[in-house]
Amino acid sequence: MSKSQQLTQLSKFLTEEMQAYAMKALQTIQSYKQTTKSWLNGHTVQSFVSLFLVGAFLSIAVASCSGSSSASKNDVKLKLVSFSVTKAAHDQIIPKFVEKWKQEHNQNVTFEQSYGGSGAQAAAVIAGSQEADIVHLALPLDVSKIALAGLIKSGWETKAPRNGIVSKSVAAIVTREGNPKGINTWADLAKDGVKVIAANPKTSGIAIWEFLAFWGSVSLTGGDEATALDYVTKVYKNTPILTKDAREASDLFFQKGQGDVLINYENEVILAQRTGTKLPYIIPKVNISIDNPVAIVDKNVEKHGTREVAQAFVDFLYSTEAQREFAKLQYRPVNPTVTQEVASQHPPIETLFTSQDLGGWDIIQKKFFADGSIFDKVKAASKA
């Protein structure tokens, strides 16, 4: 029930109750007046009625507010839709938020969570099959698509801390033990005989970051667009299959032993090593800042009545406590305090470029990923 509906019901309730109290008060006082005419005059009766009604009103208001407060403490469910590799982080962060909210508001919050390829997740939110209150996706482009569909208010990034970016990483090149193909730079991915495992930019966030890393490694280091196009085409000729998301690409590489090279998020690679999986990898000196946004889905939180809690969770993701959890899982944090704490844990990048260096997301989408654009041409050429 909306707040306006609650207020309407409360107003109606108060009106009816006041009328009942007033009638009873007048009946009582009239009866009392008849037996005490010698000392109770009409003026005193009027004052008595006024005091009686004020007391009755306050009693009802207090009781009503108490009931409203009790109703507001009902359990709340939030739907979080995110990209596949964030699950480990949210598994740590969500219980901390739930505990904090319970202590401060005496209200239980539960989360329904969904993880998958960022592009596919955005499409599901737009289609309505995922009624997300909050989206944490692999790239701002996917949030922009949801905004264009009318589910998120325009300018969402300017209203949020850090332009809506809540976690960061860079790209890592993972090789087989001993690096038998001698892969050390982006350029080496175009060598003959190298099999690259990559995801599909049409469904996966990491795949878009991969493509932009390939392109920018040429176009932002002195090469022209013709050179960049030739290089990227060679890389995708070395890609036997495009998976739907980062998780499927990792499974293909590690569990099924396919491919010589896997492009993955730095945080995923380091975390895997810390849990006992040996992953020889290189962090290229020329790299892209992989920026992951979070946003409230305005239309859905209004429908579900969850805006207050959803906003509190988004704010919590930027807190030192939550950002330390991201950092433990090897994301590059956006909170300045935590960034300083973990700076020594990440190799420095000599040339770190961003999506803005490639023209911004509107240009990137039209130039590279719209139907018939550069990626589609590269994909067709790679199959020729």
Side-chain angles (χ1 to χ4, degrees):
M1 181 183 297
S2 67
K3 289 185 179 179
S4 62
Q5 290 173 323
Q6 290 177 343
L7 288 173
T8 300
Q9 286 193 358
L10 177 59
S11 176
K12 181 180 179 182
F13 168 75
L14 288 175
T15 301
E16 293 173 349
E17 288 296 310
M18 286 300 299
Q19 289 174 347
Y21 269 95
M23 183 62 69
K24 289 181 181 178
L26 288 172
Q27 291 173 348
T28 302
I29 291 168
Q30 288 296 333
S31 175
Y32 188 66
K33 181 181 177 182
Q34 291 176 359
T35 59
T36 56
K37 288 183 179 179
S38 60
W39 61 275
L40 191 60
N41 56 41
H43 178 73
T44 307
V45 170
Q46 185 178 9
S47 299
F48 187 88
V49 170
S50 299
L51 290 172
F52 190 95
L53 292 179
V54 168
F57 177 86
L58 290 175
S59 297
I60 297 169
V62 169
S64 300
C65 290
S66 175
S68 175
S69 174
S70 176
S72 70
K73 298 305 180 183
N74 290 340
D75 293 354
V76 176
K77 178 188 282 187
L78 288 180
K79 178 67 178 288
L80 171 66
V81 172
S82 192
F83 62 111
S84 56
V85 299
T86 62
K87 185 178 186 303
H90 285 301
D91 282 347
Q92 300 301 316
I93 292 170
I94 286 173
K96 293 180 180 294
F97 172 76
V98 169
E99 181 181 2
K100 181 175 185 292
W101 186 265
K102 176 69 173 178
Q103 290 176 347
E104 295 177 354
H105 300 272
N106 191 31
Q107 187 176 40
N108 296 316
V109 181
T110 58
F111 280 77
E112 181 182 349
Q113 302 168 61
S114 173
Y115 299 94
S118 187
Q121 292 287 72
V125 173
I126 292 169
S129 58
Q130 295 275 20
E131 283 198 359
D133 296 298
I134 302 160
V135 289
H136 179 190
L137 298 175
L139 66 167
L141 179 61
D142 287 332
V143 180
S144 295
K145 290 177 181 177
I146 299 172
L148 286 173
L151 299 177
I152 296 176
K153 294 178 181 178
S154 61
W156 62 272
E157 67 274 27
T158 63
K159 299 172 185 176
R162 312 289 171 190
N163 291 319
I165 304 304
V166 75
S167 56
K168 289 177 175 279
S169 193
V170 295
I173 300 174
V174 184
T175 71
R176 294 298 178 188
E177 186 68 31
N179 194 6
K181 295 295 178 76
I183 307 298
N184 295 297
T185 67
W186 293 118
D188 293 331
L189 301 182
K191 290 180 178 178
D192 290 339
V194 173
K195 289 186 178 180
V196 180
I197 300 298
N200 190 338
K202 299 290 186 177
T203 59
S204 169
I206 194 174
I208 289 179
W209 291 116
E210 288 170 353
F211 184 96
L212 297 179
F214 299 156
W215 188 273
S217 71
V218 176
S219 67
L220 296 176
T221 58
D224 59 20
E225 293 211 342
T227 305
L229 180 60
D230 179 67
Y231 163 71
V232 172
T233 301
K234 289 179 179 178
V235 172
Y236 281 94
K237 280 185 176 179
N238 286 343
T239 305
I241 187 172
L242 294 175
T243 66
K244 72 178 187 297
D245 58 32
R247 182 66 63 210
E248 184 178 324
S250 293
D251 290 345
L252 203 63
F253 185 79
F254 294 112
Q255 296 182 14
K256 297 185 178 180
Q258 296 187 27
D260 304 304
V261 177
L262 171 72
I263 313 302
N264 207 336
Y265 298 110
E266 174 193 46
N267 56 285
E268 281 284 283
V269 175
I270 297 175
L271 185 62
Q273 284 201 330
R274 291 191 173 184
T275 56
T277 303
K278 288 187 177 182
L279 301 180
Y281 71 96
I282 301 99
I283 303 296
K285 298 296 184 182
V286 177
N287 218 311
I288 188 166
S289 179
I290 297 175
D291 300 334
N292 314 135
V294 66
I296 290 173
V297 184
D298 295 292
K299 186 174 181 179
N300 290 342
V301 296
E302 293 298 336
K303 177 181 178 180
H304 302 155
T306 53
R307 179 175 291 279
E308 181 184 6
V309 184
Q311 184 63 61
F313 179 69
V314 168
D315 292 342
F316 183 73
L317 292 178
Y318 290 97
S319 69
T320 301
E321 185 177 11
Q323 287 286 305
R324 281 177 177 149
E325 293 300 328
F326 280 120
K328 287 177 185 177
L329 295 166
Q330 301 308 308
Y331 290 90
R332 298 194 176 207
V334 299
N335 181 297
T337 299
V338 185
T339 297
Q340 291 182 354
E341 292 174 356
V342 301
S344 63
Q345 299 177 19
H346 299 283
I349 308 296
E350 292 178 2
T351 302
L352 183 66
F353 59 92
T354 71
S355 58
Q356 291 303 311
D357 295 317
L358 294 168
W361 287 108
D362 286 344
I363 291 175
I364 287 171
Q365 170 64 14
K366 293 175 184 177
K367 180 177 180 179
F368 296 112
F369 304 114
D371 290 342
S373 60
I374 288 178
F375 174 73
D376 283 348
K377 292 176 182 177
V378 166
K379 186 178 178 182
S382 68
K383 292 182 177 180

